């Protein structure tokens, strides 16, 4: 793989959090939000001239950036009354480098009940992103609005197994939109006309790009893979994916390739954290440390906690015991990921992210007891007594599949459940499955038969937002990104709110062992900066 050595230059640093970086198609300017420290209710919208590196304050308040016009002359944003998101107005700003920035309200009818998180204008057509597609609050589709006729049409139809469509950039001559579609386990990049016609799949990734630009010299779409530190591209000449370029930079929140030799990033403002909730005392204890990124937490016996220190492709393993942090990477292996423990914390499940090998480990010395080869990328796995349930993304179709294993023999069973998303054991043989198309299912691991479970309205209502599930011997735990709910496993009829996470904490994973609930989550809005990376030049 070609390797690009880069030099970094910090082009903006204030005491606060940079977010929502956005380049216009011509890449001459950069818009971004800056939230000052200790002023979380104030968002400052800036535009920077990337030639001079001068910054211009556009507006402040409860505001967020929506997009650029296709010519890069106007910036669109929404501003709301402080603390009242039912009172919002869309604005456009221009003449950024003059003495007075010109600002005016948009005439497009903004509906405060929806989230118009993206908006651009290409000639007389407005393209925007709105949620509530198919009645799901987390599912976004793209729409077009003809400014001359005031006609609005939906131009994309995403699947319900993700968050939908996200506008990456626009092309001119001819006019096109490029967008990313998020599905379970993958992200697809499409090109289409402004009315959604002639839609063409360009490429598929197992990660989100979130940002892409058009590179005119190579006539290609370029984006950055933050997990592998590579500049990726798709050639419009050959209509094929080009070779990746290794280009290491700091861990990034937003990453835009300006071309194939330079990158513009905001340094990462996220941190991975973990905590343990005691179900008896209702107390939360945090295992976070200043220099670690805690993930995949598992509450073990005697108050010990396992966690991984994870940051992109870097991983170390730790055991927290008696307020001491003991490194165990040499025993677990840096390529392995521990995902769950059995009901009495004597056995652990881990998998190798490269070989897709699932391992059963002894929780005392972390030695391997048994291994299985899984035919795809493992999403999650749960163990109960001698039964293991594994959700994996099939290597060929990339669709989620559910596999059942038995630790006492070589039995392997593939369920016919369509696209399982989360699982939790109900008892020693029955598994609760949150699947794509249906309500919750109960799968018998002995017969491989399943049926739909009757569920209370509250659980049905949060189903589209469920991130993960877990269970101990008495209780099912269901997590959205911000809340954890509980229901008695025996009847599953009364659903209670157990935990509300702190603002800026977003749940990733749960593990339940006995009376402990281990919660892995991401914390956002830490202090960061904007950096420009350019190719190293030899010294004269």
């Amino acid at each position: 793989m070609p390797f690009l050595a880069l030099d970094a230059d910090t082009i903006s640093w204030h005491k606060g959090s940079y977010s929502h970086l956005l380049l216009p198609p011509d890449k001459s300017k950069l818009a971004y939000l800056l939230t000052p420290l200790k002023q979380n209710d104030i968002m400052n919208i800036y535009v920077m001239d990337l030639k001079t590196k001068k910054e211009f304050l556009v507006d402040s308040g409860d505001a967020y950036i929506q997009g650029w016009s296709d010519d890069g002359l106007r910036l669109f944003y929404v501003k709301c009354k402080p603390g009242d998101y039912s009172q919002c107005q869309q604005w456009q700003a221009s003449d950024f480098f003059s003495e007075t920035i010109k600002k005016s309200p948009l005439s497009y009818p903004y509906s405060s009940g929806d989230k118009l998180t993206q908006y651009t204008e290409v000639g007389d057509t407005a393209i925007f992103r709105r949620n509530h597609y198919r009645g799901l609050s987390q599912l976004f589709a793209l729409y077009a609005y003809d400014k001359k006729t005031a006609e609005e049409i939906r131009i994309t139809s995403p699947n319900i197994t993700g968050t939908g469509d996200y506008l990456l950039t626009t092309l001119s001559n001819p006019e096109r939109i490029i967008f990313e579609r998020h599905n379970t386990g993958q992200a697809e990049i499409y090109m289409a006309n402004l009315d959604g016609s002639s839609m063409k799949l360009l490429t598929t990734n197992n990660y989100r790009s979130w940002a892409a630009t058009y590179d005119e010299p190579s006539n290609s779409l370029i984006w950055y893979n933050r997990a592998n530190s590579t500049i990726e591209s798709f050639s419009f000449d050959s209509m094929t994916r080009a070779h990746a370029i290794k280009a290491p930079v700091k861990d990034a929140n937003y990453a835009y390739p300006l071309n194939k030799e330079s990158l513009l990033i905001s340094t990462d403002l996220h941190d991975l954290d973990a905590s343990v909730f005691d179900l008896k005392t209702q107390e939360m204890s945090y295992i976070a440390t200043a220099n670690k990124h805690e993930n995949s937490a598992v509450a073990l016996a005697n108050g010990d906690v396992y966690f991984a220190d994870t940051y992109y492709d870097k991983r170390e393993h730790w055991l927290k015991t008696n307020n001491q942090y003991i490194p165990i990477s040499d025993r677990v292996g840096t390529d392995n990921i521990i995902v769950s423990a059995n009901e009495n914390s004597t056995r652990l499940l881990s998998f190798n992210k490269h070989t897709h090998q699932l391992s059963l480990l002894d929780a005392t010395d972390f030695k391997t007891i048994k291994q299985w080869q899984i035919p795809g990328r493992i999403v999650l796995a749960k163990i109960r007594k001698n039964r293991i349930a594994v959700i994996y993304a099939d290597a060929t179709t990339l669709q989620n599949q559910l596999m059942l294993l038995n630790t006492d023999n070589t039995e392997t069973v593939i369920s016919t459940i369509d696209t399982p998303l989360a699982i939790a054991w109900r008892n020693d043989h029955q598994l609760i499955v949150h699947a794509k198309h249906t309500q919750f299912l109960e799968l018998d691991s002995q017969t491989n038969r399943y049926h739909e479970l009757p569920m209370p309205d509250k659980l049905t209502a949060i189903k589209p937002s469920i991130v993960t599930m877990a269970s101990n011997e008495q209780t099912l735990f269901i997590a959205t990104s911000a809340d954890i709910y509980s229901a008695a496993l025996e009847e599953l009829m009364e659903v209670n709110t157990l935990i509300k996470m702190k603002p800026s904490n977003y749940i990733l994973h749960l593990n339940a062992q006995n009376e402990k609930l281990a919660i892995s989550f991401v914390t956002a809005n830490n202090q960061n900066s904007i950096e420009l990376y350019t190719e190293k030049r030899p010294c004269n």
Side-chain angles (χ1 to χ4, degrees):
M1 183 183 298
F3 184 89
L4 192 62
L6 299 169
D7 280 325
D9 181 23
T10 301
I11 60 175
S12 183
W13 181 86
H14 299 280
K15 289 185 177 181
S17 302
Y18 291 87
S19 61
H20 294 80
L21 271 64
L22 195 62
L23 285 170
D26 65 5
K27 296 177 278 191
S28 63
K29 297 177 282 291
L30 175 69
Y32 49 89
L33 279 181
L34 176 66
T35 305
L37 290 181
K38 300 180 181 179
Q39 296 186 48
N40 292 330
D41 58 337
I42 298 295
M43 277 76 81
N44 297 319
I45 298 177
Y46 282 91
V47 167
M48 176 185 286
D49 184 338
L50 288 178
K51 288 184 178 179
T52 65
K53 307 302 186 292
K54 290 184 66 175
E55 296 173 295
F56 300 86
L57 179 63
V58 176
D59 212 330
S60 296
D62 272 5
Y64 62 89
I65 296 168
Q66 288 188 306
W68 287 97
S69 59
D70 67 323
D71 55 14
L73 298 179
R74 293 171 294 149
L75 178 71
F76 305 107
Y77 64 98
V78 168
K79 188 174 181 180
C80 304
K81 287 188 177 181
D84 186 1
Y85 288 93
S86 66
Q87 298 292 321
C88 299
Q89 173 67 55
Q90 281 183 293
W91 291 80
Q92 64 179 6
S94 59
D95 295 344
F96 306 102
F97 311 144
S98 61
E99 290 186 5
T100 304
I101 295 177
K102 186 185 296 183
K103 293 182 284 187
S104 59
L106 275 183
S107 58
Y108 178 76
Y110 174 74
S111 171
S112 60
D114 295 328
K115 294 179 181 178
L116 273 66
T117 52
Q118 293 184 298
Y119 181 95
T120 184
E121 290 186 1
V122 183
D124 290 322
T125 301
I127 306 292
F128 58 91
R129 178 179 185 251
R130 176 191 286 159
N131 69 332
H132 284 139
Y133 175 55
R134 297 180 69 174
L136 301 176
S137 61
Q138 87 286 356
L139 188 59
F140 288 79
L142 299 181
Y143 295 76
Y145 175 73
D146 190 314
K147 295 166 61 181
K148 288 184 176 180
T149 64
E151 180 186 10
E152 176 186 305
I153 59 170
R154 177 174 49 81
I155 58 176
T156 67
S157 303
N159 303 320
I160 65 172
T161 57
T163 57
D165 297 335
Y166 186 90
L167 186 66
L168 293 176
T169 190
T170 59
L171 306 179
S172 57
N173 194 28
E175 295 172 339
R176 298 284 190 270
I177 57 170
I178 306 287
F179 64 94
E180 183 176 54
R181 174 165 293 169
H182 174 230
N183 295 315
T184 302
Q186 65 181 33
E188 302 162 331
I189 297 180
Y190 287 90
M191 178 172 64
N193 294 331
L194 300 187
D195 62 359
S197 63
S198 301
M199 190 170 78
K200 181 175 181 59
L201 174 64
L202 302 182
T203 191
T204 300
N205 297 316
N206 61 2
Y207 59 89
R208 297 296 300 270
S209 60
W210 291 110
T213 59
Y214 172 68
D215 183 51
E216 188 172 359
S218 64
N219 189 27
S220 59
L221 184 76
I222 53 176
W223 66 93
Y224 191 67
N225 180 343
R226 290 174 289 179
N228 294 338
S229 300
T230 53
I231 297 175
E232 308 280 346
S233 61
F234 181 89
S235 171
F236 291 115
D237 291 330
S238 63
M239 294 304 288
T240 60
R241 193 155 176 161
H243 291 297
I245 301 169
K246 192 74 173 180
V249 300
K250 281 185 181 177
D251 295 311
N253 185 44
Y254 279 74
Y256 281 99
L258 295 177
N259 48 53
K260 292 189 176 183
E261 294 80 36
S262 64
L263 283 160
L264 186 69
I265 76 164
S266 59
T267 54
D268 199 6
L269 51 71
H270 299 89
D271 185 25
L272 293 170
D273 291 309
S275 60
V276 176
F277 183 75
D278 191 306
L279 296 167
K280 284 186 175 180
T281 64
Q282 301 286 291
E283 292 181 351
M284 184 87 78
S285 59
Y286 293 87
I287 63 172
T289 57
N291 60 344
K292 292 181 176 64
H293 306 281
E294 299 84 1
N295 196 13
S296 304
V298 180
L300 303 175
N302 304 318
D304 293 350
V305 180
Y306 158 83
F307 67 91
D309 180 1
T310 308
Y311 214 59
Y312 290 93
D313 58 348
K314 298 180 282 292
R315 177 177 292 270
E316 294 179 346
H317 301 274
W318 294 83
L319 187 66
K320 182 176 184 285
T321 178
N322 295 325
N323 292 320
Q324 292 183 315
Y325 293 88
I326 301 172
I328 55 173
S329 296
D330 57 338
R331 287 185 276 173
V332 177
T334 55
D335 287 339
N336 293 324
I337 301 171
I338 292 178
V339 288
S340 65
N342 64 351
E343 61 278 2
N344 58 9
S345 301
T346 59
R347 298 289 184 263
L348 301 173
L349 286 179
S350 78
F351 67 87
N352 187 296
K353 61 183 180 180
H354 299 302
T355 65
H356 309 313
Q357 192 172 62
L358 181 74
S359 299
L360 180 67
L361 308 179
D362 187 304
T364 304
D365 55 16
F366 302 99
K367 289 184 178 179
T368 301
I369 299 171
K370 193 170 183 176
Q371 291 183 320
W372 299 264
Q373 189 64 43
I374 306 301
R377 181 180 60 85
I378 297 172
V379 177
L380 55 88
K382 302 284 187 179
I383 181 172
R384 179 73 172 257
K385 295 285 173 50
N386 64 336
R387 302 281 176 170
I388 297 174
V390 184
I391 292 180
Y392 65 96
D394 184 89
T396 303
T397 66
L398 298 181
Q399 295 297 312
N400 276 15
Q401 302 287 343
L402 177 58
M403 176 184 288
L404 299 170
L405 305 170
N406 192 317
T407 62
D408 296 334
N409 52 48
T410 59
E411 178 186 356
T412 299
V413 178
I414 305 295
S415 169
T416 58
I417 292 175
D418 187 3
T419 318
L421 303 176
I423 50 178
W425 285 103
R426 188 172 192 179
N427 52 46
D428 293 350
H429 301 294
Q430 292 170 315
L431 188 73
I432 297 173
V433 183
H434 167 221
K436 166 183 165 182
H437 293 298
T438 60
Q439 297 292 75
F440 293 83
L441 302 173
E442 183 177 77
L443 172 67
D444 190 310
S445 63
Q446 295 177 312
T447 64
N448 197 23
R449 295 177 180 175
Y450 61 88
H451 63 273
E452 189 169 327
L453 285 169
M455 283 290 169
D457 292 342
K458 187 172 183 179
L459 197 54
T460 301
I462 66 171
K463 183 182 187 297
S465 303
I466 291 175
V467 173
T468 188
M469 301 192 309
S471 61
N472 58 16
E473 293 195 346
Q474 300 84 31
T475 308
L476 174 69
F477 303 99
I478 311 105
T480 65
S481 61
D483 301 299
I484 299 175
Y485 302 86
S486 64
L489 278 171
E490 187 173 346
E491 296 188 7
L492 292 175
M493 292 312 296
E494 185 176 347
V495 179
N496 300 304
T497 301
L498 181 66
I499 300 170
K500 284 190 170 294
M501 300 297 287
K502 295 178 180 178
S504 300
N505 288 353
Y506 304 97
I507 298 168
L508 299 175
H509 191 63
L510 295 180
N511 268 306
Q513 284 81 35
N514 299 316
E515 298 299 328
K516 307 287 186 182
L517 186 64
I519 308 164
S520 300
F521 56 95
V522 63
T523 301
N525 299 335
N526 295 306
Q527 195 169 331
N528 64 341
S529 62
I530 297 176
E531 297 192 357
L532 177 63
Y533 284 81
T534 53
E535 188 175 12
K536 283 186 178 179
R537 302 298 181 185
C539 298
N540 295 328

